[in-house]
C-alpha cells in the first residue's frame, strides 16, 4: 500500500489470486508425516467433522459449516492446537466423497469464498461434497494481523526519494508489529504446515485419498501436499499454476508486468464507453490513471473505516479487479464513483468481504489480538488479515533473506526494474517483496524437495493471458513435478481458467468426476471460438 503495509484489508474481491512468493514462517521443516499412523498424531486423524447449519447474513441455506482441529506445531503435537473453519455443499446424489477447494491468495478465506461463489462449483456436487476451508492464520482460523490501527505498522516507502536505511528501519518495525499482534500461529504459518492440515482434513471428511481443486496459490499448496503425501493423492487439479522456484523479486516483477498488461487491456476496453472516467482516448486515459494514483497518494480520501484511501490502495483495488474481465464493468463504475463523488465504498467492495459467516462457537481473544486457537467469529476477523496472511505465508515459503547491505545496494536498481515493469503496479509489488525483511528465514522444502513426484497423474491448467501466474510457470512446474503432471493449455485471458472458460470447466469436471484426463499438451481455445 502506498508503499506501506496497510492496516485494512487488501482491496480485493476475487480470492483466486497469487501474490508473489513461495513456505513456512519462522520454523524449519518439521519431520514429514506420510500418513496418519504415527501415535502422536493419531488423535487428530481419528476426528470426524460435525457439520451444522452456518450462521450469518445472507448465507446459502444449503451450506453447512464445521471445523477440524490440528496441532499448532507438528513437531509437538501434544501441545497447543488450532481449529480450522470448513464449509461444504452436500452432493446432490450419491457421493463418492469430497473434493476440497483452495481459492488462492495466499490468505484467501475459503469458507466465505465458497459461500459467495457457489454457482461455479455446483456441477461438482453431481458426485462430491464440495468443501473449502480457512487455512491456518486465515479468516476464522486463528487469523494473523499486523494491528488494526494506523500506527501499528510503519510506512515502508521504496520510492525514489526514500533513503534505504529508513526503509530498512520501517521494515523492521512492520515485522515486529505483525509478530506482536498475530499471536502464536505466526511462527507455524506457511504452506508446508497447511499441507499437513489438508491431510488431517482429508481423513476427517472420511476420504482415503485427497480429491482437490486449487487455484493460483492453491496450486502451490496442492503440489506441496503431493510431495508430502504422494500415496494419498486422488484426483488433483492445479489451475493458475504458481512457481515453485523463482525468488520473490522475480515473482514480483512477473506480477507487475502481467498486471500492467491487463490494465492496458482494461483501459482499451473502458475508453470505448462514453462513461469511462478516464476519457475516450487510450493514451490519455493511461496517463490519467497514473495522475489519479499520484493525486490520491498526495491527498488521500477518508473512508468509513476511519482511514484514508490512498493511491496505492487504488492500485490494490485495480489489481484485484483485473484478474477477471467479468469485474471490469464494476471496476469502471467504482472508479467513476471515486472520481465524481469521492466515494470509496465501491472500490472497497473488491476487498473480498465474503458473506459474513459464523458458526456461533465464538473465540477467546487475547489482549495482543491473537486467539486461543478456537475459531474466530467472522465479524472479529481483523480487517488486515488478508494482506497480513499473504505476506506471512509468502515470506514463510521463501528461504531467501537478503542482508541489509544487499538491500541497500540493490534498492535503487530494484526500483528502476519494477518501475519499468509497470509504472502503476511496480511500487506496490516492490513493497510486497520488501516486507519479508526482518522476518525469519523461510523453509527451503518447496524449492528443494517438491520435484519428480511419485504420485498419480494430476491436471495442471495454465492460461496464456493470465496476469498473475504466467503460462511459463505452468510449463516450468510441470517439468519440475515430472511424469505426474498433465498440462492443459488454456488459450484465453484472465487469472485461472475454470470459472472463465467453458472448455476448461468441462475438462476439469470430467477429470474430477469421472477420472477422464485430457492428453498432456491438449488445449482449450479462446472462449469466443465456440469450442
Amino acid at each position: 500500500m502506498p508503499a506501506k503495509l496497510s492496516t485494512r484489508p487488501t482491496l480485493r474481491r476475487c480470492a483466486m489470486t497469487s501474490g508473489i512468493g513461495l513456505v513456512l514462517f519462522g520454523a524449519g521443516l518439521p519431520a514429514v508425516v506420510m500418513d496418519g499412523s504415527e501415535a502422536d498424531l493419531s488423535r487428530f486423524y481419528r476426528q470426524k467433522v460435525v457439520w451444522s447449519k452456518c450462521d450469518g447474513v445472507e448465507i446459502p441455506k444449503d451450506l453447512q459449516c464445521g471445523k477440524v482441529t490440528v496441532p499448532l506445531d507438528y513437531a509437538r503435537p501434544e501441545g497447543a492446537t488450532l481449529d480450522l473453519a470448513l464449509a461444504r455443499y452436500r452432493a446432490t446424489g450419491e457421493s463418492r466423497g469430497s473434493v476440497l477447494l483452495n481459492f488462492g491468495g495466499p490468505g484467501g478465506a475459503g469458507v466465505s469464498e465458497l459461500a459467495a461463489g457457489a454457482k461455479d462449483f455446483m456441477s461438482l456436487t453431481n458426485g462430491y461434497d464440495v468443501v473449502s476451508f480457512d487455512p491456518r492464520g486465515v479468516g476464522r482460523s486463528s487469523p494473523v494481523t499486523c494491528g488494526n490501527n494506523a500506527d501499528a505498522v510503519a510506512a515502508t516507502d521504496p520510492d525514489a526519494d526514500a533513503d534505504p536505511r529508513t526503509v530498512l528501519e520501517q521494515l523492521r518495525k512492520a515485522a515486529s508489529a505483525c509478530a506482536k499482534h498475530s499471536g502464536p500461529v505466526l511462527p507455524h504459518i506457511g504452506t508446508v504446515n497447511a499441507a499437513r492440515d489438508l491431510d488431517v482434513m482429508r481423513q476427517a471428511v472420511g476420504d482415503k485419498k485427497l480429491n482437490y481443486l486449487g487455484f493460483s496459490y492453491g496450486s502451490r499448496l496442492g503440489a506441496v501436499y503431493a510431495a508430502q503425501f504422494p500415496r494419498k493423492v486422488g484426483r488433483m487439479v492445479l489451475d493458475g499454476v504458481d512457481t515453485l522456484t523463482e525468488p520473490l523479486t522475480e515473482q514480483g516483477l512477473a506480477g507487475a508486468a502481467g498486471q500492467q498488461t491487463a490494465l492496458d487491456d482494461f483501459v482499451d476496453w473502458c475508453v470505448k464507453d462514453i462513461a469511462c472516467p478516464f476519457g475516450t482516448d487510450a493514451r490519455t486515459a493511461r496517463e490519467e490513471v497514473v495522475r489519479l494514483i499520484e493525486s490520491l497518494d498526495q491527498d488521500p480520501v477518508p473512508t468509513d473505516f476511519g482511514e484514508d484511501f490512498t493511491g496505492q490502495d487504488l492500485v490494490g483495488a485495480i489489481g484485484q479487479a483485473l484478474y477477471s474481465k467479468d469485474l471490469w464493468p464494476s471496476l469502471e463504475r467504482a472508479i467513476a464513483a471515486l472520481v465524481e463523488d469521492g466515494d470509496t465504498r465501491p472500490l472497497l467492495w473488491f476487498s473480498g468481504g465474503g458473506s459474513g459467516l459464523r458458526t456461533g462457537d465464538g473465540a477467546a481473544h487475547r489482549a495482543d489480538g491473537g486467539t486461543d486457537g478456537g475459531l474466530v467469529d467472522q465479524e472479529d476477523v481483523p480487517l488486515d488479515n488478508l494482506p497480513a496472511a499473504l505476506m506471512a505465508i509468502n515470506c514463510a515459503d521463501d528461504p531467501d533473506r537478503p542482508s541489509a547491505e544487499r538491500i541497500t545496494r540493490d534498492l535503487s536498481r530494484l526500483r528502476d526494474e519494477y518501475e519499468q515493469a509497470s509504472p502503476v503496479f511496480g511500487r506496490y509489488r516492490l513493497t510486497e517483496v520488501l516486507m519479508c525483511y526482518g522476518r525469519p528465514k523461510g523453509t527451503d522444502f518447496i524449492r528443494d524437495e517438491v520435484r519428480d513426484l511419485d504420485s498419480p497423474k494430476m491436471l495442471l491448467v495454465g492460461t496464456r493471458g493470465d496476469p498473475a501466474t504466467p503460462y511459463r510457470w505452468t510449463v516450468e512446474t510441470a517439468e519440475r513435478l515430472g511424469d505426474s503432471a498433465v498440462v492443459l493449455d488454456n488459450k484465453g485471458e484472465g487469472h485461472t481458467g475454470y470459472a472463465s472458460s467453458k472448455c476448461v470447466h468441462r475438462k476439469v469436471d470430467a477429470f474430477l468426476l469421472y477420472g477422464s484426463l485430457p492428453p498432456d499438451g491438449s488445449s482449450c481455445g479462446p472462449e469466443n471460438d465456440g469450442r
Side-chain angles (χ1 to χ4, degrees), residues 31-114:
V32 175
V33 180
M34 303 312 291
D35 57 45
S37 63
E38 283 74 5
D40 59 354
L41 290 175
S42 61
R43 67 185 177 115
F44 300 104
Y45 278 88
R46 283 196 302 265
Q47 65 186 310
K48 299 297 180 184
V49 180
V50 177
W51 298 102
S52 60
K53 181 180 181 296
C54 300
D55 292 333
V57 180
E58 298 181 357
I59 303 304
K61 293 182 179 179
D62 53 345
L63 187 68
Q64 296 179 318
C65 286
K67 68 179 182 179
V68 67
T69 302
V70 298
L72 172 66
D73 182 355
Y74 276 91
R76 297 175 178 81
E78 72 284 355
T81 62
L82 300 172
D83 289 340
L84 307 180
L86 285 79
R88 75 169 179 180
Y89 290 102
R90 296 291 303 276
T92 53
E94 183 177 353
S95 174
R96 60 173 60 96
S98 299
V99 58
L100 271 68
L101 310 183
N102 181 279
F103 295 100
V111 173
S112 58
E113 195 66 27
L114 182 61

Side-chain angles (χ1 to χ4, degrees), residues 1 7 27 44 53 118 142 192 276 278 294 326 421 435 445 514:
M1 317 244 109
T7 56
F44 300 104
K53 181 180 181 296
S142 298
V192 172
C276 180
F278 300 118
E294 292 176 347
D326 292 342
M435 289 307 301
F445 178 80
Y514 310 113

Side-chain angles (χ1 to χ4, degrees), residues 25-246:
F25 185 88
L29 176 66
V32 175
V33 180
M34 303 312 291
D35 57 45
S37 63
E38 283 74 5
D40 59 354
L41 290 175
S42 61
R43 67 185 177 115
F44 300 104
Y45 278 88
R46 283 196 302 265
Q47 65 186 310
K48 299 297 180 184
V49 180
V50 177
W51 298 102
S52 60
K53 181 180 181 296
C54 300
D55 292 333
V57 180
E58 298 181 357
I59 303 304
K61 293 182 179 179
D62 53 345
L63 187 68
Q64 296 179 318
C65 286
K67 68 179 182 179
V68 67
T69 302
V70 298
L72 172 66
D73 182 355
Y74 276 91
R76 297 175 178 81
E78 72 284 355
T81 62
L82 300 172
D83 289 340
L84 307 180
L86 285 79
R88 75 169 179 180
Y89 290 102
R90 296 291 303 276
T92 53
E94 183 177 353
S95 174
R96 60 173 60 96
S98 299
V99 58
L100 271 68
L101 310 183
N102 181 279
F103 295 100
V111 173
S112 58
E113 195 66 27
L114 182 61
K119 63 181 179 62
D120 289 331
F121 306 99
M122 286 299 99
S123 58
L124 293 174
T125 61
N126 290 332
Y128 290 109
D129 295 343
V130 176
V131 180
S132 193
F133 57 97
D134 292 355
R136 57 172 61 207
V138 174
R140 300 185 58 224
S141 303
S142 298
V144 295
T145 175
C146 294
N148 288 327
N149 62 79
D151 297 324
V153 179
T156 55
D157 194 340
D159 70 19
D161 296 327
D163 176 71
R165 290 170 297 182
T166 301
V167 171
L168 290 171
E169 180 58 28
Q170 292 168 339
L171 290 168
R172 277 190 289 267
K173 290 180 179 179
S176 177
C178 296
K180 173 184 176 182
H181 290 280
S182 290
V185 70
L186 191 59
H188 304 285
I189 203 169
T191 305
V192 172
N193 276 342
R196 302 182 76 172
D197 295 342
L198 198 56
D199 197 56
V200 175
M201 292 180 215
R202 171 197 61 76
Q203 182 72 19
V205 298
D207 289 350
K208 292 182 178 180
K209 294 184 180 293
L210 176 71
N211 302 306
Y212 177 81
L213 174 55
F215 298 98
S216 195
Y217 162 78
S219 72
R220 187 198 312 172
L221 178 58
V224 172
Y225 179 90
Q228 290 181 301
F229 304 94
R231 293 189 294 276
K232 298 298 185 183
V233 173
R235 296 172 185 173
M236 181 172 285
V237 179
L238 313 179
D239 184 1
V241 181
D242 205 351
T243 180
L244 301 176
T245 57
E246 287 194 358

